[in-house]
Amino acid sequence: MKILNEVACMSAFPAHWSVNTLQNPNLTVTYLTRGAMRIVGLSTPAAPENWLAVLPTTAWETPYGPFQAYGGHRFWHAPEAHPRTYVPDAPEMDITPLPDGVRLVQPPEAPTGLQKSLELLLDAELPLLIVRHTLTNHNLFAVEAAPWGITQLPLGGTAVLPQGAPVTSEYTPNRTLALWPYTRWDDPRLNLHGDLLLVQAQAALPPFKVGFPNHAGWLAYLRGETLFIKRFTRQPGAAYTDLNSNAQVYVNDTFVELESQGPLTRLEPGASVQHSEVWEMHAPVHCPPTPQALRGLLAELGCPSGG
């Protein structure tokens, strides 16, 4: 694994962005070094185009100043609330090279007292990246929050949501689906297939978002001949936000988001909570976006849909 310098990486992104890149023979990962804590590039030799959605001009006003989206992968804390969730990123951060990656640490957010850090750990050979989110409370009082990893991807593919869950009794329910107020049950982008939900990432209005308790521990996105998988762990018995949804998928007319959350945690002063995702890129894969084909491919890759 090697770290490329900023100059070598700038050509694929807006000229004013400052970026570095982690690279092994099978995966290239690009992250911002100034402006915000973001992963903004993801590619493989078989899928050389950037697999993350880049949003160089998307921004909105908040009581704390403009929030710049940038795109790619960002680290928020849940539950989502305005204006707390939309505190703009600090323009500078501490960056520490690690033997197998890098650590990015933002200053504590002045309005919330919470501090975010990301560790990006790249496998030496495989197209595999560990993204470790750490949320620390720097207030003088306890705060309840959850780490929240949000990955923005280009439209044109199919998001795969596993619906399997443990069965304790045939007389009690074991699955739920959370819908946001703007989400319609009859949205044509949502396709129900028993143990799998498929969400077509197509531009349409209004936006669409669903969440659910993800016991299988993965979400996937198939676009063309490339499959992106993010894996994470649900802690049994822990509380999660958004009707107990530790996994969510959002689609608007520009991008699709694959989101995972850690447990809702009471953080005492100085305490931290951590949430890790494992990213995998598989290309080329020859798999039509049908439930039958996806079940077979994902089972081969260790992503069963059952509970």
Side-chain angles (χ1 to χ4, degrees):
M1 187 274 295
K2 59 183 178 180
I3 300 179
L4 304 183
N5 62 39
E6 293 185 14
V7 174
C9 305
M10 288 298 293
S11 60
F13 300 96
H16 64 283
W17 285 16
S18 176
V19 299
N20 268 7
T21 296
L22 305 174
Q23 188 176 59
N24 70 19
N26 294 296
L27 189 64
T28 300
V29 181
T30 305
Y31 59 93
L32 293 180
T33 61
R34 285 191 291 275
M37 192 167 65
R38 298 285 192 281
I39 306 171
V40 292
L42 189 69
S43 63
T44 73
E49 77 282 2
N50 187 2
W51 239 69
L52 299 180
V54 176
L55 308 172
T57 62
T58 301
W60 55 85
E61 289 298 325
T62 79
Y64 310 113
F67 181 92
Q68 175 69 46
Y70 289 97
H73 181 82
R74 69 185 185 273
F75 178 11
W76 271 2
H77 44 80
E80 185 170 4
H82 189 277
R84 190 201 71 179
T85 305
Y86 305 96
V87 175
D89 296 272
E92 302 292 336
M93 63 188 124
D94 291 332
I95 302 175
T96 304
L98 302 174
D100 52 353
V102 67
R103 180 185 297 116
L104 312 174
V105 182
Q106 288 189 325
E109 297 174 345
T112 70
L114 296 174
Q115 182 178 39
K116 306 168 189 171
S117 70
L118 276 181
E119 288 186 8
L120 312 181
L121 308 175
L122 184 62
D123 188 271
E125 296 288 336
L126 298 174
L128 185 151
L129 177 75
I130 297 173
V131 182
R132 187 172 295 153
H133 312 74
T134 302
L135 189 65
T136 302
N137 180 17
H138 285 272
N139 290 291
L140 298 177
F141 47 84
V143 173
E144 194 170 52
W148 183 9
I150 303 172
T151 307
Q152 297 182 307
L153 303 161
L155 299 176
T158 301
V160 188
L161 290 60
Q163 288 297 292
V167 176
T168 56
S169 167
E170 63 178 308
Y171 304 109
T172 55
N174 69 330
R175 284 169 290 171
T176 60
L177 190 64
L179 275 65
W180 270 248
Y182 47 80
T183 301
R184 302 194 332 260
W185 275 114
D186 60 346
D187 192 305
R189 290 169 290 190
L190 175 63
N191 298 277
L192 310 179
H193 299 283
D195 60 336
L196 292 178
L197 300 187
L198 304 184
V199 177
Q200 306 304 320
Q202 300 170 353
L205 293 175
F208 171 88
K209 186 171 186 179
V210 293
F212 65 105
N214 188 320
H215 298 271
W218 59 267
L219 290 169
Y221 187 60
L222 176 69
R223 185 165 62 90
E225 294 188 342
T226 303
L227 180 71
F228 171 74
I229 299 172
K230 66 158 60 180
R231 301 179 191 264
F232 44 89
T233 301
R234 180 180 177 87
Q235 296 185 19
Y240 290 86
T241 68
D242 301 322
L243 301 181
N244 212 26
S245 298
N246 66 314
Q248 302 164 13
V249 171
Y250 171 84
V251 185
N252 65 12
D253 59 349
T254 307
F255 54 81
V256 57
E257 290 181 346
L258 268 59
E259 311 174 12
S260 76
Q261 288 188 13
L264 189 60
T265 303
R266 179 181 169 85
L267 292 173
E268 298 295 335
S272 298
V273 61
Q274 193 174 92
H275 174 62
S276 293
E277 297 179 346
V278 179
W279 294 9
E280 301 172 12
M281 294 284 286
H282 299 273
V285 297
H286 306 289
C287 178
T290 64
Q292 296 83 358
L294 286 164
R295 283 189 192 99
L297 173 62
L298 288 161
E300 290 177 7
L301 296 174
C303 297
S305 56

